[in-house]
Amino acid sequence: MTAEIWDVIIVGAGLSGLSAAHFLRKREAKLKILILEGKDRVGGRTVSSDIPAANGGVDVWDFGGQWVASTQTHIMELIKELGLEVYPQFNIGKKVLHVGGPPSKVRVYRTSIPALSLLVLLDLTQFLWKIDRLSGTVCVHDPLKTPNAVELDSMTLQSYIQQHAWTAELKEQLGVCSRSVFGMEPSQMSFLFFLMYAAAAGGVLALLESTPGCAQEFKIKGGTQQLSECLVERVGWKNVRLGSAVTAIWQDAEWARVKTNSDTFLCRAVIVTCPPHLAAKIHYEPPLPAMREFLTQNMPVGHMIKFIITYQTAFWKEKGFSGEIVTGSSSNSPFCVTFDATSPYGNPALVGFIAGQQASHWSPKEAGERREAVVSSLVKYLGPEAASFIHYEEKDWAKEDYSGGCPVNVMAPGLLTYYHPSLRKPCGRIHWSGTETATQWCGYMSGAVQAGQRAALEVLAEVCHVVLTAEEQEVLQQNQITRRQSSSKLMCLFIRKSVVMTTLTISAVLLLSRRHDVLMKIKTYLTNTIL
Amino acid sequence: MTAEIWDVIIVGAGLSGLSAAHFLRKREAKLKILILEGKDRVGGRTVSSDIPAANGGVDVWDFGGQWVASTQTHIMELIKELGLEVYPQFNIGKKVLHVGGPPSKVRVYRTSIPALSLLVLLDLTQFLWKIDRLSGTVCVHDPLKTPNAVELDSMTLQSYIQQHAWTAELKEQLGVCSRSVFGMEPSQMSFLFFLMYAAAAGGVLALLESTPGCAQEFKIKGGTQQLSECLVERVGWKNVRLGSAVTAIWQDAEWARVKTNSDTFLCRAVIVTCPPHLAAKIHYEPPLPAMREFLTQNMPVGHMIKFIITYQTAFWKEKGFSGEIVTGSSSNSPFCVTFDATSPYGNPALVGFIAGQQASHWSPKEAGERREAVVSSLVKYLGPEAASFIHYEEKDWAKEDYSGGCPVNVMAPGLLTYYHPSLRKPCGRIHWSGTETATQWCGYMSGAVQAGQRAALEVLAEVCHVVLTAEEQEVLQQNQITRRQSSSKLMCLFIRKSVVMTTLTISAVLLLSRRHDVLMKIKTYLTNTIL
């Protein structure tokens, strides 16, 4: 049997792989590019599905990555190029917060400052200030250059929280943040990794908020899987093989041989885009350097179950709620966070996430039991109308073949400082992509696009011997630029936080002196102006 | 092509797999057992090789696991059954200790107490006391039952060291301990995992020492690979296929189908014995439970380069040295520890380990450069005679196919408390073995034997429907017993340590009062009597 010959083979038809293919195709139209995908669909960690909606209709919702932000330049440019549209995440109205154990009061608030006691607010502010300052010192491109890198990498995010958050309530809330962002407990990741991740997004708050520039700012009309589908249209369906999981990559002086269970393909360069824990399952000949093997052995992926629940009316909006509910691990709620998910066509829905230890608890249970627990929590927080839903649909990413988890692989402690360069460093004819290898919005769809384009440039320069333009060379070097960008961005945050710190320090003094009337005024002031 | 049919297939011809096969064969002689091994040899993480020795001869040395202890009942019984002999690790004479940076004094001492200042000794004692007390609270069989399990599992061993060791010198020395025992930095592992590992060995000191009952007590005449070779003789070479790496295991209602690159075998039960990071590379249909996938994604294996250097004479003994050298990361030495390795036939040699971050630094370099650095350090610590060696031979376990690291897989933080039961829990027809699944001397050759025998019992009871004897049932339940054993053992340690604590507290008071003469007396007393 003669093996098919291609110029470039891309492993994975997610956003990163398809962005790489699209970029290569635009730059060198004659390149023969083949994309091999294990799943029976394109899109990787994005998938958009039709489910029953209001008035007997159906509508489309995202069951994987869904949000984009104006600061995510790579994905925003792609959206524009592909002629897609974004719309803002709805976040107007009362938000619900439940931390501090089942017997504690469920708090409701309207601003971007959580309805916490002044003491916890003060704690939150000092904690964010510290962590944002540290995040500003991180060199995303080469974390070993970060001051105290070894020390920061030798502790878990949870250890830092234990040492630097003062109140149990804040500690619980930070657990919710970790679960929402990474699908993982703060005990599972390196603190330096967390700082690097935040730095790649421009700061910690950017990861958490739905305000302009932050991670939850916009959604894409018609769903995010369209991005991959539009890219395939441009790259050509004939160049994509679904249900073709790559099992081995052999390299010799002349070729890379990419094997699936049924075929072998020859090519000059391979771009592997799948998440690190899946890339680690491929058999490589000659073996990859030990440093890379050690690295990918230590990059656990998160565990997230995402659900969409559709309704006849957006009863929560009618009652003044935004749809945002944040619940801590002590609340007995199966989910950690929900948001309004009403479609751009007006079909009411909520979206929520069961993540981290909650996912490990709820994932093995019966679907009906899980749905009942979700609905009963929604009833508790938003009212009895939540029980009258049209349809409940969920996706457990741990059970998705050729994903095994979502949204992103993190790094366990002790890796960034020893093994990190192995993540992006090409191994012979193999180049590495996927959002985990990004230096801007690493872990997000935008990072997937950035990484795909960077890998494509590597292939063009090193394998196809194409002379890169000055601009393209700059893109290859932009890792260094990231550091300055995030530093300057951080300066603004630093100044903003300093003001808050001063104000809250005064509050603390007053708190200790029990001047309740003055305290209330300060809280109102804080609520309305600063943050 | 018709697939061969077997009763039990064992993946991996290391000590665990061969022990399982031997146990099954003894219990049910008619069972058709096939052992599939990726390597071209048996023995897994044990390998014994002939190298040039004194007087133009050759002799055999161990390049993998080498030590056993009288407390390691499973391996000691096997050694006896196979008719092999042990001999004690030579440890008489001066020991060398170099921590505290290149400019610091190289210290020499003769006892089991390191030549540290009284302050550092006091620090060491209080630290060991704390850690041993904690280790005694660990439930090896179910770590979640340990008091404060979640907290202990949310921090790295390094975080605990940072918080509870007072002196920089002790912190450096604990790094050496972590590298020597795990081939890994203390920043890479869960503190709860470390405690569990120590508890499974009967205490922290048992991991570190070469005194009776401790991990480095005996070696096996002729090398440890003989264990596997003798076991194969009993199991039958016709039942072992070398060069047969398992790539997939499919299960249906009737069969397990075990696939290699060239063959498919059918069987009723499979015992997978390879280390967790390699078991994770096998493709399973239906997929394994998500909990197990998350667990094996987070069990990094250590990185060790082991070297043997042979000499015409044991010049170190002639000069009064034992051959034991302990060097911290600040010492510029490539290795962390060496021992005398003179063979039972009197051929002089030293054995040493380049491990953890030192291995990640030295592994990519040229072999000659590494050898030169090792020899130059030996010259520094033992004298110029060290330069006149006969032969230097090393094994980098990270580069060994179907190992990828040594000596053991640890657990990253945040896993024991969520995912641990998945490590031993059978998945349909698949049973799990390998030293990482042991509850007594987990990580050691003895643990490999224990785990193999336990998996064999599971297969006998659940698949072959053999009625187990009371004794065998007890073996299956012995995980619970371990807890009591290690607790009682710990009581002795606790008492011993309490005495030392009291004495050293008095010393500290004197230290602060600068009564140098009294101090010297106490140090002599401590050196000669207590520890």
Side-chain angles (χ1 to χ4, degrees):
Chain A
M1 195 178 73
T2 32
E4 290 178 41
I5 295 180
W6 298 79
D7 291 312
V8 183
I9 290 180
I10 295 172
V11 181
L15 253 180
S16 208
L18 292 166
S19 294
H22 178 54
F23 192 93
L24 285 169
R25 178 55 55 95
K26 280 199 293 186
R27 193 63 175 70
E28 286 288 301
K30 288 178 187 167
L31 278 179
K32 283 187 68 188
I33 303 165
L34 176 67
I35 303 166
L36 298 171
E37 167 61 52
K39 299 180 198 280
D40 57 3
R41 60 168 182 83
V42 298
R45 286 171 266 185
T46 61
V47 61
S48 313
S49 307
D50 280 342
I51 60 168
N55 302 316
V58 292
D59 204 343
V60 66
W61 275 275
D62 280 321
F63 286 85
Q66 66 174 16
W67 285 294
V68 295
S70 49
T71 46
Q72 298 177 342
T73 49
H74 294 89
I75 193 85
M76 293 308 279
E77 278 169 22
L78 184 66
I79 289 168
K80 196 173 155 195
E81 183 187 348
L82 299 175
L84 299 174
E85 275 178 76
V86 299
Y87 65 103
Q89 169 63 43
F90 178 81
N91 60 8
I92 299 160
K94 292 182 286 187
K95 295 164 187 173
V96 177
L97 175 68
H98 192 194
V99 289
S104 75
K105 205 181 134 200
V106 176
R107 301 193 189 93
V108 170
Y109 61 105
R110 287 177 177 277
T111 67
S112 63
I113 309 180
L116 299 163
S117 73
L118 254 185
L119 187 65
V120 181
L121 262 186
L122 180 67
D123 193 12
L124 172 66
T125 312
Q126 67 86 21
F127 185 84
L128 283 179
W129 181 77
K130 275 184 194 158
I131 217 166
D132 241 346
R133 196 180 49 167
L134 276 173
S135 153
T137 66
V138 171
C139 175
V140 177
H141 176 63
D142 183 3
L144 190 50
K145 290 186 182 153
T146 307
N148 304 316
V150 173
E151 190 188 332
L152 297 171
D153 190 36
S154 76
M155 65 169 80
T156 62
L157 172 58
Q158 180 64 22
S159 288
Y160 188 85
I161 292 172
Q162 283 298 342
Q163 286 165 33
H164 295 273
W166 311 329
T167 58
E169 216 169 297
L170 178 63
K171 288 176 188 174
E172 188 181 346
Q173 190 142 16
L174 294 168
V176 181
C177 295
S178 172
R179 258 163 253 139
S180 311
V181 174
F182 300 100
M184 202 169 283
E185 298 304 307
S187 58
Q188 292 179 259
M189 84 189 82
S190 152
F191 181 51
L192 180 59
F193 171 82
F194 171 78
L195 294 174
M196 184 189 78
Y197 197 86
V204 177
L205 285 181
L207 298 176
L208 302 174
E209 298 201 346
S210 57
T211 46
C214 294
Q216 285 72 237
E217 186 179 5
F218 297 122
K219 291 183 283 189
I220 297 177
K221 281 189 187 169
T224 53
Q225 200 179 357
Q226 288 174 106
L227 289 163
S228 295
E229 283 157 355
C230 293
L231 283 170
V232 176
E233 294 297 337
R234 306 209 174 193
V235 172
W237 272 105
K238 66 180 190 306
N239 299 316
V240 178
R241 308 261 169 103
L242 301 177
S244 300
V246 169
T247 55
I249 303 176
W250 292 8
Q251 299 184 66
D252 58 31
E254 208 176 348
W255 297 106
R257 273 161 222 273
V258 180
K259 303 187 176 210
T260 66
N261 269 331
S262 52
D263 298 294
T264 297
F265 306 92
L266 294 181
C267 64
R268 300 290 179 191
V270 188
I271 299 177
V272 175
T273 73
C274 49
H277 69 288
L278 297 183
K281 295 195 182 208
I282 296 173
H283 184 78
Y284 301 89
E285 288 280 351
L288 299 181
M291 299 304 108
R292 191 181 156 93
E293 290 285 341
F294 285 123
L295 182 73
T296 53
Q297 270 169 35
N298 284 269
M299 291 191 63
V301 65
H303 189 180
M304 261 192 188
I305 305 170
K306 182 174 181 179
F307 63 83
I308 300 281
I309 183 163
T310 58
Y311 289 95
Q312 186 57 37
T313 59
F315 67 91
W316 55 93
K317 290 186 187 177
E318 290 163 10
K319 295 171 87 172
F321 287 104
S322 68
E324 186 177 326
I325 307 170
V326 172
T327 60
S329 52
S330 69
S331 69
N332 284 349
S333 160
F335 53 76
C336 55
V337 67
T338 68
F339 291 93
D340 176 83
T342 300
S343 81
Y345 309 105
N347 286 311
L350 292 167
V351 59
F353 301 90
I354 304 170
Q357 68 173 99
Q358 291 169 314
S360 87
H361 175 76
W362 285 97
S363 176
K365 295 190 189 290
E366 290 291 317
E369 192 183 346
R370 205 160 44 239
R371 184 182 62 228
E372 208 167 289
V374 166
V375 172
S376 127
S377 272
L378 291 174
V379 165
K380 176 175 170 185
Y381 298 122
L382 300 177
E385 303 93 328
S388 308
F389 60 93
I390 294 168
H391 187 79
Y392 172 91
E393 185 82 29
E394 62 178 17
K395 183 160 191 75
D396 185 343
W397 281 89
K399 293 178 182 163
E400 162 100 355
D401 275 353
Y402 306 106
S403 285
C406 221
V408 65
N409 293 63
V410 307
M411 288 187 193
L415 292 179
L416 270 172
T417 45
Y418 304 127
Y419 304 123
H420 183 257
S422 307
L423 191 60
R424 280 190 289 274
K425 195 176 174 184
C427 299
R429 297 178 180 279
I430 305 175
H431 297 258
W432 308 102
S433 179
T435 188
E436 283 80 3
T437 69
T439 53
Q440 291 175 46
W441 286 98
C442 162
Y444 289 81
M445 291 187 282
S446 196
V449 176
Q450 186 219 355
Q453 293 175 352
R454 188 255 313 136
L457 281 175
E458 284 173 13
V459 168
L460 285 172
E462 292 168 33
V463 184
C464 308
H465 305 293
V466 168
V467 178
L468 300 188
T469 64
E471 198 187 347
E472 287 168 343
Q473 284 177 356
E474 203 187 318
V475 170
L476 265 190
Q477 289 161 5
Q478 72 189 358
N479 295 323
Q480 280 85 5
I481 298 167
T482 308
R483 190 183 191 181
R484 290 201 297 276
Q485 280 180 337
S486 66
S487 300
S488 68
K489 197 157 203 167
L490 198 100
M491 234 358 171
C492 310
L493 270 175
F494 178 84
I495 294 162
R496 196 171 74 163
K497 293 292 164 210
S498 301
V499 175
V500 181
M501 273 301 283
T502 315
T503 318
L504 285 182
T505 307
I506 300 166
S507 313
V509 173
L510 291 169
L511 183 75
L512 293 171
S513 66
R514 313 242 176 226
R515 288 282 309 273
H516 198 75
D517 50 338
V518 182
L519 274 179
M520 288 316 294
K521 279 184 197 159
I522 290 173
K523 188 164 180 178
T524 313
Y525 166 71
L526 275 171
T527 308
N528 295 331
T529 58
I530 298 179
L531 277 169
Chain B
M1 195 177 72
T2 33
E4 290 178 40
I5 294 180
W6 298 79
D7 292 313
V8 183
I9 290 179
I10 295 172
V11 182
L15 253 182
S16 208
L18 292 167
S19 295
H22 179 54
F23 192 94
L24 285 169
R25 176 57 53 97
K26 281 199 292 186
R27 194 62 175 72
E28 286 288 298
K30 287 179 187 167
L31 277 179
K32 282 189 69 189
I33 302 165
L34 176 67
I35 304 166
L36 298 171
E37 168 60 53
K39 299 181 199 279
D40 57 5
R41 61 169 182 83
V42 300
R45 286 170 266 185
T46 60
V47 62
S48 314
S49 307
D50 280 342
I51 59 168
N55 303 316
V58 292
D59 204 344
V60 67
W61 274 274
D62 279 321
F63 286 85
Q66 67 175 14
W67 285 294
V68 296
S70 49
T71 47
Q72 297 177 344
T73 49
H74 294 88
I75 194 85
M76 292 309 280
E77 277 169 23
L78 184 66
I79 289 169
K80 196 173 156 195
E81 183 185 347
L82 299 177
L84 300 174
E85 275 180 74
V86 300
Y87 65 104
Q89 169 63 43
F90 178 80
N91 60 9
I92 299 159
K94 292 183 285 186
K95 296 164 186 172
V96 177
L97 174 68
H98 192 194
V99 289
S104 75
K105 202 181 137 202
V106 176
R107 301 193 188 93
V108 169
Y109 61 105
R110 285 180 178 276
T111 66
S112 64
I113 307 179
L116 298 162
S117 73
L118 254 186
L119 187 65
V120 180
L121 264 186
L122 181 67
D123 192 12
L124 172 65
T125 313
Q126 66 86 20
F127 186 84
L128 282 179
W129 181 77
K130 275 184 193 159
I131 218 167
D132 241 347
R133 196 180 48 167
L134 276 173
S135 155
T137 67
V138 171
C139 175
V140 177
H141 176 63
D142 183 2
L144 190 51
K145 288 185 183 153
T146 307
N148 303 317
V150 174
E151 192 188 329
L152 297 171
D153 190 36
S154 77
M155 65 169 80
T156 62
L157 172 58
Q158 180 62 22
S159 288
Y160 188 84
I161 291 173
Q162 282 298 341
Q163 286 164 34
H164 295 274
W166 309 330
T167 57
E169 216 169 297
L170 178 62
K171 288 176 189 174
E172 189 182 344
Q173 189 142 16
L174 294 168
V176 181
C177 296
S178 172
R179 255 163 256 138
S180 312
V181 174
F182 300 100
M184 202 169 285
E185 298 304 307
S187 59
Q188 291 180 258
M189 84 189 80
S190 153
F191 181 53
L192 180 59
F193 171 81
F194 171 79
L195 294 174
M196 184 189 78
Y197 197 86
V204 177
L205 285 181
L207 298 176
L208 301 175
E209 299 201 345
S210 57
T211 45
C214 294
Q216 285 71 237
E217 186 179 5
F218 296 122
K219 292 184 282 189
I220 296 177
K221 279 189 188 168
T224 54
Q225 200 179 356
Q226 287 176 107
L227 290 164
S228 296
E229 284 157 355
C230 293
L231 284 170
V232 176
E233 294 297 337
R234 308 210 171 193
V235 172
W237 272 106
K238 68 180 190 303
N239 299 315
V240 178
R241 308 262 168 101
L242 301 178
S244 299
V246 169
T247 55
I249 303 176
W250 292 8
Q251 297 185 68
D252 58 31
E254 209 176 346
W255 297 106
R257 273 161 222 273
V258 180
K259 302 185 178 211
T260 67
N261 269 330
S262 52
D263 298 295
T264 297
F265 305 91
L266 293 182
C267 64
R268 299 289 178 192
V270 188
I271 299 177
V272 175
T273 73
C274 49
H277 70 286
L278 297 182
K281 295 195 181 208
I282 296 173
H283 185 79
Y284 301 89
E285 287 282 349
L288 299 181
M291 299 305 106
R292 190 179 155 94
E293 289 284 342
F294 285 122
L295 181 73
T296 52
Q297 270 167 36
N298 284 269
M299 290 192 62
V301 66
H303 190 178
M304 262 191 187
I305 305 170
K306 182 174 181 178
F307 64 83
I308 300 280
I309 183 163
T310 58
Y311 289 94
Q312 185 56 38
T313 58
F315 67 90
W316 56 94
K317 291 186 187 176
E318 290 162 11
K319 296 171 84 171
F321 287 104
S322 69
E324 188 176 325
I325 307 171
V326 173
T327 59
S329 52
S330 69
S331 69
N332 284 350
S333 160
F335 52 76
C336 54
V337 68
T338 67
F339 291 94
D340 176 82
T342 300
S343 80
Y345 310 104
N347 286 310
L350 292 167
V351 58
F353 300 90
I354 304 170
Q357 69 173 96
Q358 290 168 315
S360 89
H361 175 78
W362 284 99
S363 175
K365 295 191 190 291
E366 290 291 319
E369 193 182 347
R370 207 162 42 239
R371 185 183 59 228
E372 206 168 291
V374 166
V375 172
S376 127
S377 271
L378 291 175
V379 166
K380 177 174 170 185
Y381 298 122
L382 300 177
E385 304 92 329
S388 307
F389 60 93
I390 294 170
H391 187 79
Y392 172 92
E393 184 82 30
E394 61 177 18
K395 183 159 190 76
D396 185 343
W397 281 89
K399 293 178 181 162
E400 161 101 354
D401 275 354
Y402 305 105
S403 283
C406 220
V408 65
N409 293 63
V410 307
M411 288 190 193
L415 292 180
L416 270 173
T417 45
Y418 303 128
Y419 305 124
H420 182 258
S422 308
L423 191 61
R424 279 191 289 273
K425 195 176 174 184
C427 299
R429 299 179 179 279
I430 305 176
H431 297 258
W432 307 102
S433 179
T435 189
E436 284 80 5
T437 69
T439 53
Q440 291 176 45
W441 286 99
C442 163
Y444 289 81
M445 290 187 282
S446 196
V449 176
Q450 185 218 357
Q453 293 175 351
R454 189 255 313 136
L457 281 175
E458 285 173 13
V459 168
L460 285 173
E462 293 168 32
V463 184
C464 309
H465 305 293
V466 167
V467 178
L468 300 187
T469 64
E471 197 188 349
E472 287 169 342
Q473 283 178 357
E474 203 187 319
V475 171
L476 265 189
Q477 288 161 5
Q478 73 189 359
N479 295 323
Q480 280 86 7
I481 299 167
T482 309
R483 191 181 189 182
R484 289 200 298 277
Q485 280 181 334
S486 67
S487 299
S488 68
K489 196 156 206 170
L490 197 100
M491 234 358 170
C492 311
L493 270 175
F494 178 83
I495 294 163
R496 196 172 74 164
K497 291 294 162 208
S498 299
V499 176
V500 180
M501 273 301 283
T502 314
T503 318
L504 286 183
T505 307
I506 300 166
S507 315
V509 173
L510 292 169
L511 183 75
L512 293 171
S513 66
R514 313 244 174 224
R515 289 285 305 275
H516 199 73
D517 51 337
V518 182
L519 273 179
M520 287 317 293
K521 280 185 196 156
I522 290 174
K523 190 164 178 176
T524 312
Y525 167 70
L526 275 171
T527 307
N528 296 333
T529 57
I530 299 179
L531 274 170

